[in-house]
């Protein structure tokens, strides 16, 4: 009977992998493995060569994981599979105690995710796997630190490379120069990349992304959807017509999962509304759409106060994401909320908003040929008395037009998906604009909506051309934001018009220039959502990848917290070493060997610290 | 909700003291006893969040075939035999021969029409009636299906395109090994001349976009562009996305526009691993090969000793080594006697034939077992000793060691007062005969002991109904000791009655009786006793959750019902 906890075989194994640094032995063994591809050994840690890296693409909601050198991820999963929420949001708690608690919860969740990646998805030993972490350029540093801490301390990976998701996506398209738009869950980010180098100072971002689309769908369905609860008895189901049972959609029906299902299975992006005779959408790309429409229909603008107060009922999440839109009062989301508020409050004030949105709805409905969808949904927990599941009727135009919220810009802080590209082009060096404009790559989960990319192309062209027509005085409803009517934001980009081309456009228009012809629709047919991962896999196979951090370096830095404490101003001491070690483009130290820059200690802003002295101060400012 | 107790594993925190239980993050540090391991070397509790996990074998959960590691990689962690999953319902697919009278009309495949036998086989889902002939997957022979499908997988467009991309970039990267990449590429290519490496790293430092601001660089950017053109020719995709548009692009929009039911479109989960643009339709989904699972052995994170190790065979559910905390720490069960009494009352009344609906009964139960603000309740903690030696247990309510900033909040939450027995109390040693043992030792004297247990249980329930409010030992039987504590909930208290409890126990082996114990004990237990002949002390933290405080109003409403 093997009474001792370690069998002799185990002892033997122990001796081959010393506790402290097992890396050297492993490297040696894996070389042998590489030499003979058809090896028959069953030593477990020689399953993959050390050159095979683990590629992690951790999103706020969806993670993609797999091995380098493979064409598709091994596993894709929701980070919080039970709630389908996102792990982090754009906000952090302001109270330090709350924030610390938030970080602790996040660390526990990230740890669970990362452990499950290695142990359940990939079934591999983390101690022998180098990791390439596909990082979004705006991934908060504290989250990066937590991930690194879990990977190094808990899972003991030998090294982590951080690679920019935008650059990797471009690699997957076979390019090294281009303008990459990543439309994810929390935000949409545009980053130009020139010859392998992400031009971080020109990065532009907008919160119009998947999360906003979800909350918009929810708002639209609360207004225009119909819910047929399950019949109370089987005989009633046969006798009472469904129409007489139909009610407005209860909030509880529209869970995050249902919204997700609607978004991924029912929604698509329709053509732009150019053909509309009323010209409601055609009037102005920079947010004049809603305004023009309301003035034309002679409707009062929505009452922000009312909607603010009543809308809080819906859910804190939507409220927070929309509160800024209220101020602008120019997007459909605002309209829908005021309407929603009117419905909920059911008093006089709601009426104006309702009729206004109704006008929008009829306009969209008139021009949409999309079919209504009957979706079986679970009844809300409070009303689970009937037989079976309820039915949610989603109007066809909602399916087609829900994504309008992403293309509906005009707000300074929340530019539309097309505008954010143009803004980025405006920031980019003049010499690069033409190249960048003709090599736009669209990646991320939200562009998986059918029709998204062709629509984006159309919106780009329209935004640049239409501003000439925008010479008309701004509509009265937008008096709150004074702006000279003649202001032509994208005039500088108008010469680029024939060059706009989206690399992964499945439906390229007949190209206007040879430049565009050489690029539009020429990317390989990878899905936008997985492009960053595929690029990471490619980088791993090519043995490149981003800046690499070894475990030795990490352990070293963690062992001397005293020094790190001095360098860090406001971070908690345990997070300190990471600050010095993890690559971060906002405060990249100069590489060794560079002339020491005469600079005060890094108490200045993060962006300024990134730019070496004179020359690049402009790039930050411009 | 029934009261519960969980054990603390200090792996996540820096301090040995557990976090205050009202923080949501604290729930990640506490685990049920049956999930915990115990490292004998470190004398510490280990949980699934901190142990090092190693794969000790791969197997297919469907056919239980142990897959040799060599083929695990080639098959991408999938079963390489006949195991497939239904793409719609994830049920296991079965291989069925085609049946000409049934299939002749519906299937357009010419093979079906020609052959009368069972020649084309296809996969069939017994749950949702999906079959693989719908997507054109048929097999000539009913075995080695994965191998037959392998050729399709090898020629998958994404892997071909991937190889092409690799070929495209490889010469370019080799040419400009470190200069083109600002990254750690330099570290990889140590073979480069140190001078060129230094030069290239100096180049790499040059911040992108510099051309705009440097009048001299303007021309340089142009040159650069051409220069890299020369180096890296434009990539010609094998399948361009515009070319694949017939498959997706406009067709998808039109398909969605005329969609009748949402289930025609494949769910996100069914297509999100596809990196290649594929059809949205659910009817085009391909059967999935069943992912392998692994048998894992776990090691202590600090001393690397094995904590648990399964037997190699996939069919076996036994473990070679198993150091689980349940064999070392006393198991604690929390009960609220008043809730139990109420439950029993309820049962009796329903047995008498009261026609109360199930929902109402459940509500009543909840109400009866609830903690109402302004009352004090006693709770019972039953300690079960897994050791072969008697132990002395001492309880203490954990005082939060670190004074956090939110003092006001804490005082508001910690309004309830808990009284625990202050003196140490004994729990008798575990003896094989008293309890069913999972190691399947001979159960001598089973009948008699069974009777005894019934007796003691009967006594215990009487005690419970008696509502002894005293704090102290309530009952001792076999290797179980029940102690009573008291919680006083003031009127203004809110939230959960949840507190950290420090349990420290002393175990000694005065009379080890080594011969007998090696005979009947499990290896781990024997090990412990032989290792610890003198007195030893071990303490651990737990969190006790007695339930949520209810307000006075609610029970009244329910009582009216």
């Amino acid at each position: 009977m093997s009474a001792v906890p370690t069998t002799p075989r185990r002892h033997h194994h122990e001796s081959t992998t010393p506790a402290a640094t097992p890396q050297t032995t492993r490297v040696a063994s894996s070389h042998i493995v590489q030499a003979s591809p058809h090896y028959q050994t069953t030593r477990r840690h020689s399953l993959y060569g050390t050159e095979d890296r683990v590629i992690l693409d951790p999103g706020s909601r969806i993670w993609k994981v797999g091995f380098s050198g493979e064409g598709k991820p091994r596993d894709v999963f929701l980070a919080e599979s039970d709630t389908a929420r996102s792990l982090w949001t754009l906000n952090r708690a302001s109270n330090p105690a709350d924030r610390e608690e938030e970080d602790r919860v996040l660390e526990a969740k990230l740890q669970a995710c990362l452990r499950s990646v290695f142990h359940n998805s990939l079934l591999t030993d983390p101690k022998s796997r180098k990791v390439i972490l596909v990082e979004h350029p705006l991934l908060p540093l504290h989250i990066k630190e937590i991930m690194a801490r879990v990977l190094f301390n808990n899972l003991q990976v030998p090294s982590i490379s951080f690679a920019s998701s935008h650059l990797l996506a471009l690699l997957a398209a076979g390019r090294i120069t281009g303008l990459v738009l990543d439309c994810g869950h929390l935000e949409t980010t545009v980053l130009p990349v020139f010859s392998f180098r992400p031009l971080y100072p020109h990065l532009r971002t907008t919160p119009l992304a998947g999360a906003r689309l979800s909350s918009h769908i929810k708002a639209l369905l609360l207004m225009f959807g119909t819910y047929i609860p399950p019949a109370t008895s089987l005989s009633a189901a046969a006798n009472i017509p469904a129409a007489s049972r139909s009610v407005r959609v209860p909030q509880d029906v529209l869970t995050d999962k249902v919204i997700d299902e609607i978004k991924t299975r029912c929604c698509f992006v329709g053509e732009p509304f150019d053909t509309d005779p009323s010209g409601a959408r055609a009037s102005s790309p920079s947010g004049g759409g809603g305004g023009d429409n309301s003035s034309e229909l002679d409707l009062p603008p929505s009452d922000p106060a009312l909607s603010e107060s009543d809308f809080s009922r819906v859910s804190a999440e939507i409220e927070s994401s929309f509160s800024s839109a209220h101020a602008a009062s120019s997007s459909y989301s605002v309209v829908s909320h005021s309407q929603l508020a009117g419905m909920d409050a059911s008093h006089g004030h709601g009426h104006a908003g309702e009729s206004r949105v109704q006008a929008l709805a009829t306009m969209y409905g008139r021009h949409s040929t999309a079919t209504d969808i009957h979706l079986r949904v679970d009844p809300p927990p409070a009303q689970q008395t009937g037989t079976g599941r309820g039915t949610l009727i989603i109007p066809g135009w909602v399916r087609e037009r829900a994504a309008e919220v992403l293309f509906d810009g005009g707000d300074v802080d929340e530019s539309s998906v097309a505008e954010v590209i143009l803004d980025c082009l405006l920031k980019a060096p003049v010499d690069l604009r033409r190249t960048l404009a003709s090599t736009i790559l669209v990646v991320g989960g939200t562009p998986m909506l059918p029709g998204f990319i062709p629509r984006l192309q159309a919106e780009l062209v329209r935004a640049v051309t239409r501003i000439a027509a925008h010479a008309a005085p701004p509509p009265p409803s937008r008096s709150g934001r004074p702006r000279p009517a003649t202001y032509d934001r994208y005039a500088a980009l108008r010469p680029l018009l024939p060059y706009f081309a989206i690399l992964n456009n499945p439906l390229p228009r007949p190209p206007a220039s040879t430049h565009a012809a050489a690029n539009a629709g020429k990317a390989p047919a990878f899905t936008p959502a997985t492009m960053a991962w595929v690029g990471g896999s490619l980088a791993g196979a090519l043995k490149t990848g981003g800046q690499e951090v070894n475990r030795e370096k990490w352990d070293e830095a963690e062992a001397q917290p005293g020094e790190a404490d001095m360098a860090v101003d406001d971070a908690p001491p345990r997070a300190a070493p990471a600050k010095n070690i993890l690559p971060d483009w906002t405060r990249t130290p100069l590489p060794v060997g560079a002339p020491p820059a005469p600079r005060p200690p890094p108490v200045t802003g993060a962006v300024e610290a990134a730019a070496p002295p004179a020359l690049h101060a402009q790039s930050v400012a411009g | 909700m029934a009261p519960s107790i969980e054990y603390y594993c200090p792996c996540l925190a820096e301090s040995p003291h557990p976090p205050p239980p009202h923080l949501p993050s604290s729930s990640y540090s506490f685990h049920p006893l049956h999930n915990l391991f115990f490292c004998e070397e470190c004398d510490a509790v280990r949980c699934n969040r901190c142990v090092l996990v190693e794969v000790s074998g791969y197997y297919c959960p469907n056919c239980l075939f142990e897959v040799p590691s060599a083929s695990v990689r080639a098959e991408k962690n999938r079963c390489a035999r006949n195991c497939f999953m239904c793409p719609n319902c994830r049920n296991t697919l079965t291989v069925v021969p085609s049946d000409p009278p049934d299939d002749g009309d519906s299937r357009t495949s010419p093979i079906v029409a020609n052959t009368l036998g069972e020649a084309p086989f296809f996969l069939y889902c017994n749950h949702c009636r999906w079959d693989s002939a719908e997507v054109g997957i048929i097999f000539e022979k009913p075995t080695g299906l994965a191998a037959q499908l392998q050729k399709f997988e090898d020629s998958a467009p994404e892997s071909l395109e991937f190889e092409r991309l690799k070929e495209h970039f490889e010469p370019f990267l080799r040419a400009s090994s470190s200069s083109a990449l600002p990254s750690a590429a330099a570290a990889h290519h140590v073979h480069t001349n140190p001078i060129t490496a230094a030069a290239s790293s100096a180049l790499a430092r040059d911040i992108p976009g510099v051309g705009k601001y440097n009048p001299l660089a303007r021309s340089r950017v142009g040159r650069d562009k051409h220069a890299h053109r020369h180096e890296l020719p434009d990539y010609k995709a094998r399948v361009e996305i515009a070319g694949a548009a017939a498959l997706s692009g406009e067709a998808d929009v039109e398909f969605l526009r005329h969609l009748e039911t949402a289930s025609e479109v494949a769910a996100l989960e069914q297509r999100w691993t596809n990196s290649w643009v594929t059809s949205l339709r659910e009817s085009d989904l391909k059967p999935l090969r069943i992912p392998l699972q692994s048998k894992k052995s776990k090691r202590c994170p600090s001393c690397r000793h094995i904590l648990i190790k399964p037997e190699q065979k996939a069919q076996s559910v036994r473990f070679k080594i198993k150091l689980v905390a349940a064999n070392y720490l006393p198991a604690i069960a929390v009960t609220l006697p008043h809730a139990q009494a109420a439950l029993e009352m309820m049962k009796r009344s329903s047995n008498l034939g009261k026609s109360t609906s199930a929902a109402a009964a459940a509500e009543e139960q909840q109400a009866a077992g609830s903690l109402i603000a302004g009352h004090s309740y006693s709770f019972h903690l039953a300690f079960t000793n897994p050791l072969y030696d008697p132990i002395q247990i001492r309880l203490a309510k954990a005082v939060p060691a670190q004074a956090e900033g939110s003092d006001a909040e804490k005082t508001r939450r910690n309004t309830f007062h808990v009284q625990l027995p202050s003196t140490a109390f004994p729990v008798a040693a575990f003896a094989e005969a008293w309890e069913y043992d999972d190691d399947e030792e001979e159960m001598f004297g089973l009948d008699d002991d069974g009777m005894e247990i019934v007796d003691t249980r009967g006594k215990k329930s009487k005690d419970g109904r008696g509502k002894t409010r005293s704090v102290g030992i309530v009952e001792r039987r076999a290797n179980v000791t029940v102690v009573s504590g008291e919680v006083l909930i003031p009127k203004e208290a809110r939230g959960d009655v949840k507190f950290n409890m420090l349990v420290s126990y002393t175990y000694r082996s005065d009379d080890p009786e080594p011969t007998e114990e090696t005979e009947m004990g499990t290896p781990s237990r024997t090990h412990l006793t032989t290792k610890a002949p003198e007195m030893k002390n071990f303490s651990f933290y737990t969190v006790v959750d007695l339930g949520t405080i209810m307000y006075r109003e609610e029970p009244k409403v329910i009582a009216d019902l």
Side-chain angles (χ1 to χ4, degrees):
Chain A
M1 194 62 204
S2 61
V4 280
T6 52
T7 61
R9 214 159 63 87
R10 183 65 44 196
H11 274 301
H12 168 72
H13 173 71
E14 282 276 47
S15 61
T16 57
T17 55
T21 52
Q23 214 188 341
T24 45
T25 50
R26 222 170 266 122
V27 171
S29 67
S30 64
H31 276 310
I32 301 159
V33 168
Q34 274 193 322
S36 61
H38 297 289
Y39 60 96
Q40 290 299 317
T41 64
T42 52
R43 300 311 307 161
R44 57 176 165 273
H45 51 250
S46 53
L47 194 54
Y48 300 86
T50 34
E51 295 306 327
D52 276 318
R53 311 218 199 153
V54 168
I55 314 293
L56 299 181
D57 183 359
S60 61
R61 278 185 82 225
I62 295 178
W63 287 36
K64 303 175 195 76
V65 298
F67 289 107
S68 67
E70 290 179 6
K72 59 184 202 177
R74 284 280 179 94
D75 197 12
V76 179
F77 60 92
L78 277 173
E80 275 196 84
S81 50
D82 41 346
T83 58
R85 291 263 168 81
S86 56
L87 282 176
W88 58 84
T89 60
L90 296 178
N91 301 320
R92 269 182 104 182
S94 49
N95 182 358
D98 290 351
R99 187 184 301 182
E100 217 173 293
E101 170 65 13
E102 220 174 63
D103 285 357
R104 272 197 297 266
V105 173
L106 180 63
E107 174 158 5
K109 286 176 179 169
L110 284 176
Q111 196 190 46
C113 282
L114 287 167
R115 285 182 76 90
S116 133
V117 164
F118 284 94
H119 300 148
N120 299 334
S121 302
L122 303 179
L123 304 181
T124 186
D125 181 12
K127 288 198 293 298
S128 53
R129 294 271 75 82
K130 292 186 171 188
V131 173
I132 293 183
L133 201 69
V134 179
E135 66 156 346
H136 193 274
L138 294 180
L139 180 72
L141 195 57
H142 73 276
I143 296 174
K144 205 155 107 179
E145 272 169 32
I146 294 174
M147 286 192 202
R149 200 181 317 142
V150 171
L151 283 171
F152 279 129
N153 296 355
N154 190 292
L155 288 163
Q156 313 201 328
V157 299
S159 86
I160 308 176
S161 305
F162 294 91
S164 159
S165 61
H166 289 71
L167 173 61
L168 293 178
L170 208 54
L171 279 187
R175 308 289 173 132
I176 56 169
T177 298
L179 188 70
V180 185
L181 172 95
D182 182 353
C183 187
H185 181 65
L186 293 179
E187 54 187 341
T188 299
T189 311
V190 181
L191 179 67
V193 177
F194 182 75
S195 187
F196 270 121
R197 302 207 188 140
L199 311 184
Y200 288 120
H202 307 315
L203 181 137
R204 281 291 168 276
T205 181
T206 173
L208 296 182
R212 182 64 62 87
L213 177 59
S214 292
S215 47
H216 187 59
I217 292 173
K218 186 169 184 175
L220 285 178
L221 285 178
L222 284 175
M223 260 183 297
F224 300 107
T226 312
Y227 176 68
I228 305 173
T232 46
S233 67
L234 289 173
S235 58
N239 298 332
I240 305 169
S244 65
R245 278 188 286 138
S246 61
V247 291
R248 283 212 146 132
V249 184
Q251 301 252 349
D252 300 340
V253 164
L254 298 176
T255 57
D256 287 350
K257 280 196 173 156
V258 169
I259 294 289
D260 248 22
E261 190 177 350
I262 292 168
K263 186 162 80 167
T264 53
R265 294 178 97 165
C266 305
C267 285
F268 63 102
V269 187
E271 304 271 302
F273 241 16
D274 277 332
T275 50
D276 186 18
S278 73
R281 284 278 301 142
S283 60
S284 150
S286 60
D292 270 8
N293 186 39
S294 64
S295 64
E296 198 161 294
L297 295 163
D298 202 22
L299 292 168
S302 58
D303 183 349
L306 168 73
S307 47
E308 282 284 3
S309 59
D310 288 329
F311 182 59
S312 57
R313 273 198 59 208
V314 175
S315 85
E317 187 196 6
I318 303 186
E319 187 182 41
S320 64
S321 63
F322 273 97
S323 51
S324 49
H326 276 297
S329 105
S330 66
S331 70
Y332 293 126
S333 53
V334 178
V335 175
S336 49
H337 286 317
S338 57
Q339 148 63 17
L340 183 69
M343 180 191 85
D344 286 337
S346 68
H347 53 66
H349 282 284
H351 214 265
E354 191 157 345
S355 59
R356 177 178 154 175
V357 176
Q358 211 64 52
L360 262 181
T362 48
M363 183 181 72
Y364 281 146
R366 203 168 59 226
H367 290 277
S368 175
T369 54
T371 48
D372 295 356
I373 291 279
H374 293 239
L375 190 73
R376 311 290 287 171
V377 289
D378 287 325
Q383 303 172 17
Q384 264 171 357
T385 50
T387 55
R389 309 176 82 183
T391 306
L392 178 67
I393 302 177
I394 308 158
W397 68 266
V398 170
R399 296 199 293 129
E400 184 174 353
R401 294 295 160 192
E404 293 299 319
V405 68
L406 301 178
F407 296 103
D408 194 50
D411 191 302
V412 247
D413 294 322
E414 305 192 343
S415 23
S416 77
V417 176
E419 280 169 354
V420 79
I421 291 183
L422 297 176
D423 291 345
C424 181
L425 278 176
L426 278 179
K427 292 281 176 187
V430 180
D431 309 271
L432 296 185
R433 283 186 190 168
R434 187 184 293 178
T435 317
L436 293 177
S438 58
T439 50
I440 298 169
L441 182 68
V442 182
V443 299
T446 309
M448 295 292 281
L449 283 177
F452 182 96
I453 295 175
R455 173 67 187 273
L456 179 63
Q457 166 89 28
E459 286 289 330
L460 279 175
V461 170
R462 201 170 63 172
V464 176
T465 43
R466 193 89 59 39
I467 288 166
H470 186 55
S477 66
R478 285 168 55 244
S479 56
R481 197 151 54 85
R483 200 173 66 174
T486 49
Y487 175 58
D488 194 352
R489 205 166 160 203
Y490 301 119
L493 297 178
R494 201 154 300 132
L496 293 178
L497 196 55
Y499 294 98
F500 280 116
I502 298 180
L503 286 175
N504 58 346
N505 189 349
L507 278 178
R509 293 269 175 84
S513 71
T514 53
H515 226 84
N519 290 312
K522 297 295 183 196
F526 287 115
T527 58
T530 50
M531 274 195 122
W533 188 90
V534 171
S537 171
L538 192 61
L542 295 169
K543 303 185 180 49
T544 75
Q547 221 160 317
E548 193 169 353
V549 180
N550 293 321
R551 194 165 90 229
E552 288 80 28
K553 210 167 141 194
W554 171 272
D555 290 343
E556 233 171 72
E558 243 194 357
Q560 30 178 276
E563 193 208 332
D565 262 341
M566 289 196 296
V568 176
D569 13 344
D570 55 350
R574 69 166 182 175
K579 290 252 175 189
N580 301 333
I581 283 211
L582 297 186
D584 175 26
W585 61 267
T586 57
R587 46 165 84 188
T588 316
L590 294 175
V592 189
R599 245 187 310 166
V603 283
T604 50
V607 181
E608 262 178 343
L615 198 61
H616 306 293
Q618 285 183 61
S619 80
V620 173
Chain B
M1 201 190 78
S4 66
I5 187 160
E6 292 195 326
Y7 291 62
Y8 177 64
C9 175
C11 59
L12 275 178
E14 298 88 50
S15 74
H17 300 289
H22 64 83
L23 292 178
S25 69
S26 72
S27 66
Y28 296 98
S29 314
F30 292 101
H31 313 267
L33 178 63
H34 58 84
N35 284 352
L36 291 172
F37 304 99
F38 191 87
C39 179
E40 289 185 347
E41 301 299 317
C42 311
D43 207 22
V45 173
R46 302 287 176 219
C47 71
N48 270 318
R49 291 187 151 265
C50 59
V51 292
L52 301 176
V53 180
E54 281 170 9
V55 176
S56 62
Y58 301 88
Y59 67 97
C60 168
N62 187 39
C63 60
L64 291 182
F65 178 70
E66 286 155 50
V67 185
S69 313
S71 58
V72 167
R73 181 189 187 188
E75 304 293 341
K76 301 193 173 169
N77 294 356
R78 309 272 152 175
C79 180
R81 290 156 38 114
N82 283 352
C83 305
F84 288 89
M85 259 188 327
C86 174
N88 291 336
C89 61
R90 308 280 157 127
N91 190 20
T92 314
L93 295 173
T94 47
V95 188
V96 291
S98 53
D99 194 14
D102 273 343
D103 297 343
D105 310 336
S106 55
R107 312 229 181 285
T108 50
S109 169
I111 312 163
V112 178
N114 291 340
T115 49
L116 286 166
E118 337 115 31
F121 296 89
F122 53 89
L123 294 164
Y124 178 75
C125 175
N126 286 316
H127 179 70
C128 70
R129 301 175 140 208
W130 179 89
D131 74 66
S132 70
E134 283 171 16
V135 291
I137 294 180
I138 48 171
F139 305 93
E140 275 103 47
K141 47 183 176 30
T143 51
L145 302 187
Q148 293 181 57
L149 275 182
Q150 188 67 45
K151 54 180 182 287
F152 296 109
E153 280 171 26
D154 288 343
S155 61
E158 73 265 6
S159 49
L160 293 180
E161 190 78 52
F162 189 85
E163 289 308 314
R164 196 185 168 94
L165 277 168
K166 227 167 103 180
E167 281 164 26
H168 172 69
F169 281 113
E170 222 147 37
F172 170 69
L173 284 174
R174 225 178 295 131
S176 54
S177 55
S178 54
S179 66
L181 285 173
S183 59
H188 275 282
H189 300 265
V190 282
H191 58 271
T192 48
N193 185 344
I195 297 171
T196 54
S200 57
S201 78
L203 275 176
R205 203 176 60 239
D206 137 54
I207 296 285
V210 67
K212 182 184 175 187
Y213 310 106
N214 188 344
L216 287 174
R218 185 166 291 217
S219 56
R220 211 195 73 200
V221 167
R223 255 193 290 118
D224 270 359
K225 214 158 48 181
H226 291 298
H228 92 250
R229 278 272 162 73
H230 286 306
E231 279 183 44
L232 186 67
D234 275 350
Y235 177 69
K236 283 288 287 177
R238 217 183 126 263
V239 180
E240 286 169 359
I241 195 157
L247 189 71
S248 56
E250 197 169 23
D252 279 349
V253 175
E254 280 309 303
F255 166 57
L256 273 177
R257 200 185 292 275
H258 303 296
L259 191 69
E260 292 294 332
T261 57
S263 58
E264 285 176 54
V265 181
L268 181 65
E269 288 80 8
Q270 291 171 328
R271 50 192 160 97
W272 63 8
T273 47
N274 292 337
S275 65
W276 200 250
V277 172
T278 45
S279 162
L280 284 177
R281 289 160 205 263
E282 187 164 48
S283 55
D284 289 342
L285 291 172
K286 301 279 189 290
L288 306 164
R289 287 162 69 178
I290 288 184
L292 298 180
Q293 291 188 1
S294 63
K295 290 212 154 195
K296 302 179 181 80
S297 48
K298 296 175 178 173
R299 287 171 184 272
C300 170
S302 64
C303 69
R304 302 204 172 227
H305 276 82
I306 290 200
L307 298 174
I308 193 161
K309 180 177 168 57
E311 279 185 7
Q312 196 70 32
K313 272 168 61 180
Q315 288 91 337
S316 166
V317 291
R318 294 163 148 269
F319 294 91
K320 280 183 185 163
I321 300 166
K322 189 170 79 172
L323 304 179
V324 293
N327 286 348
Y328 297 89
L329 307 185
I332 309 172
V334 194
T335 45
L336 285 167
H338 79 279
Q340 275 191 330
L343 210 71
E344 220 144 286
M345 289 287 281
M346 207 98 59
K347 252 183 228 158
R348 214 167 300 154
S349 64
S350 64
N351 283 347
L352 282 171
K354 288 272 175 68
S355 60
T356 44
S357 75
E363 261 174 44
E364 254 177 73
Q365 275 180 23
Q366 220 178 4
S370 66
L371 302 163
I372 298 159
H375 286 227
S376 75
Y377 296 91
S378 71
F379 56 90
H380 287 178
L381 299 165
F383 290 84
T384 310
N385 182 7
L387 304 175
Y388 290 112
D389 314 301
I391 55 174
Q392 291 280 331
I393 295 183
R394 187 181 290 272
L395 301 179
K397 187 172 177 287
V399 222
Q402 65 273 49
E404 300 237 342
S406 54
D407 274 334
E409 193 188 6
K410 194 174 286 171
T411 47
R412 187 173 61 77
R413 283 184 190 269
N414 274 356
T415 36
F416 56 87
H417 301 289
V418 177
Q419 261 193 302
L420 291 167
S422 53
T423 52
F425 55 91
V427 185
F430 170 78
E432 210 82 34
W434 286 343
E435 206 158 334
Y436 173 74
D437 185 40
D438 54 5
D439 287 316
E440 288 170 354
E441 302 280 336
E442 306 91 78
M443 304 288 287
F444 26 79
L446 176 81
D447 287 353
D448 294 355
D449 290 319
M451 290 300 291
E452 196 181 334
I453 286 170
V454 168
D455 273 347
T456 48
R457 286 223 175 108
K459 266 183 233 154
K460 185 199 157 201
S461 59
K462 263 174 216 153
D463 286 352
R465 253 176 278 138
K467 277 194 186 175
T468 47
R469 279 286 161 86
S470 61
V471 171
I473 299 175
V474 176
E475 182 193 357
R476 287 185 64 186
R477 66 184 152 87
N479 62 337
V480 179
T481 298
V482 182
V483 297
S484 167
E486 197 173 26
V487 58
L488 176 72
I489 307 168
K491 280 204 172 64
E492 68 274 15
R494 298 285 141 85
D496 291 347
V497 182
K498 235 178 167 184
F499 59 93
N500 287 340
M501 183 173 74
L502 175 70
V503 181
S504 40
Y505 65 96
T506 322
Y507 55 95
R508 65 193 120 171
S509 44
D510 290 344
D511 42 353
E513 291 173 297
T515 47
E516 202 186 320
E517 278 191 18
T518 38
E519 212 171 69
M520 43 196 295
T522 60
S524 58
R525 284 170 186 154
T526 322
H527 193 58
L528 182 81
T529 42
T530 47
K531 256 194 75 106
E534 78 279 13
M535 207 159 87
K536 268 187 129 187
N537 193 12
F538 187 82
S539 50
F540 58 93
Y541 281 100
T542 57
V543 62
V544 181
D545 185 3
L546 291 179
T548 314
I549 299 171
M550 282 184 122
Y551 309 116
R552 255 175 189 288
E553 299 87 68
E554 278 176 284
K556 267 186 188 167
V557 172
I558 289 159
D560 288 347
L561 284 173

